[in-house]
Amino acid sequence: MNNYYPFINTPLPYAYDALEPFIDEKTMHLHHDRHLQTYIDNLNGFLEENPSLQKYSLEELLTTWRRLPCHLQAPLRNNAGGVYNHRFYFDGLKPCRCSDRFQNGSPGQPPAGCASENRTASSSLLFSEMSRQFGSRENFRSQFKEATLSVFGSGYAWLVSDSGMLKIVTSSNQNTPVCHSRTLILNIDVWEHAYYLKHYNLRAAYIDDWFRVVNWEKANERFAGMNHDCRCR
């Protein structure tokens, strides 16, 4: 992953139409090639004008903005967050042409006829912790959907692990909920450009479809601490 200036728009880890019919191809083109690209261009332009910040990684920039003069804080926070949050979102998705395993399978077990790529020790750990801490995976899904619907305007909902405690948090605009004790596990983008072409103003329907293409294996790796790039700094 390209994690330092100059930033580039790395390809999606799947085809633009791979998430059909749940997230449409045109939305993926616009979301990745235009919206994310704009944040990358803006971040590179900002760092070109502020070369002392070019030594920091993308994750470090998410907290460095707090130490800058006031007039520089918002441009860095918004554009570094826009790059990080979008990359995290795209990497957290995966094609699924079958029934929703999260709804219909037991924790860590896909329903009949589904590929078994997620049957790993880490998947069992995450789903077990979901059931233990939220009461059941259905309770988690319900609470996550409620939190996502509560985001006013544009922003994200996140599943995070805070010192081992699973929490659902939200963030506005391109803010990123980073802190030293927290590991980000998954997020859903609820800016309208993420779903409006297909789902119009029906955010709830978009959330239901998003659950069908979550890359639980990636979420499992993040939860288990295997993907250190997703650790909060």
Side-chain angles (χ1 to χ4, degrees), residues 11-29:
L12 291 170
Y14 38 77
Y16 288 98
D17 64 350
L19 305 181
E20 293 271 13
F22 308 113
I23 299 179
D24 60 288
E25 179 180 2
K26 187 172 183 179
T27 291
M28 293 301 294
H29 273 288

Side-chain angles (χ1 to χ4, degrees), residues 14 17-23 93-104 110-111 113-118 209-216:
Y14 38 77
D17 64 350
L19 305 181
E20 293 271 13
F22 308 113
I23 299 179
L93 301 177
K94 187 174 185 177
C96 183
R97 300 288 185 182
C98 54
S99 298
D100 185 345
R101 73 192 58 187
F102 187 78
Q103 283 184 303
N104 301 325
C114 228
S116 60
E117 69 271 16
N118 284 354
D209 278 349
W210 171 84
F211 265 108
R212 292 181 175 269
V213 290
V214 172
N215 186 343
W216 291 108

Side-chain angles (χ1 to χ4, degrees), residues 21-204:
F22 308 113
I23 299 179
D24 60 288
E25 179 180 2
K26 187 172 183 179
T27 291
M28 293 301 294
H29 273 288
L30 293 173
H31 201 173
H32 178 268
D33 295 355
R34 297 194 185 181
H35 289 280
L36 174 54
Q37 185 66 58
T38 297
Y39 285 112
I40 290 173
D41 292 343
N42 290 343
L43 180 58
N44 283 335
F46 177 88
L47 294 175
E48 183 178 4
E49 296 174 358
N50 297 274
S52 64
L53 299 174
Q54 294 176 10
K55 63 184 177 182
Y56 293 109
S57 70
L58 180 59
E59 290 83 0
E60 290 168 337
L61 290 172
L62 296 176
T63 54
T64 299
W65 66 265
R66 302 176 189 275
R67 302 193 293 271
L68 297 180
C70 291
H71 70 285
L72 296 178
Q73 290 184 5
L76 180 56
R77 180 185 69 239
N78 292 340
N79 290 299
V83 176
Y84 184 91
N85 298 345
H86 277 100
R87 285 180 170 183
F88 195 89
Y89 170 77
F90 291 131
D91 286 346
L93 301 177
K94 187 174 185 177
C96 183
R97 300 288 185 182
C98 54
S99 298
D100 185 345
R101 73 192 58 187
F102 187 78
Q103 283 184 303
N104 301 325
S106 58
Q109 299 295 327
C114 228
S116 60
E117 69 271 16
N118 284 354
R119 282 189 283 185
T120 64
S122 61
S123 68
S124 298
L125 176 62
L126 176 59
F127 283 122
S128 294
E129 283 300 302
M130 279 184 181
S131 295
R132 185 178 73 84
Q133 297 190 33
F134 292 99
S136 68
R137 64 189 187 279
E138 292 80 11
N139 284 347
F140 162 74
R141 181 188 177 109
S142 176
Q143 292 178 40
F144 192 87
K145 183 175 182 178
E146 181 180 2
T148 305
L149 290 171
S150 76
V151 176
F152 182 78
S154 301
Y156 297 80
W158 305 74
L159 175 65
V160 306
S161 175
D162 200 338
S163 298
M165 180 68 67
L166 292 177
K167 296 180 180 179
I168 298 168
V169 300
T170 62
S171 60
S172 61
N173 300 316
Q174 292 298 348
N175 295 341
T176 308
V178 295
C179 71
H180 291 296
S181 63
R182 183 175 286 172
T183 299
L184 307 181
I185 299 174
L186 61 84
N187 70 345
I188 180 172
D189 184 346
V190 290
W191 283 66
E192 287 187 341
H193 62 243
Y195 63 91
Y196 211 85
L197 289 180
K198 177 178 175 63
H199 297 92
Y200 304 106
N201 63 327
L202 303 178
R203 185 185 288 186

Side-chain angles (χ1 to χ4, degrees), residues 1 3 59 84 88 225-233:
M1 177 65 73
N3 221 25
E59 290 83 0
Y84 184 91
F88 195 89
M226 296 166 62
N227 190 333
H228 298 295
D229 285 341
C230 295
R231 282 278 185 188
C232 297
R233 298 288 194 252

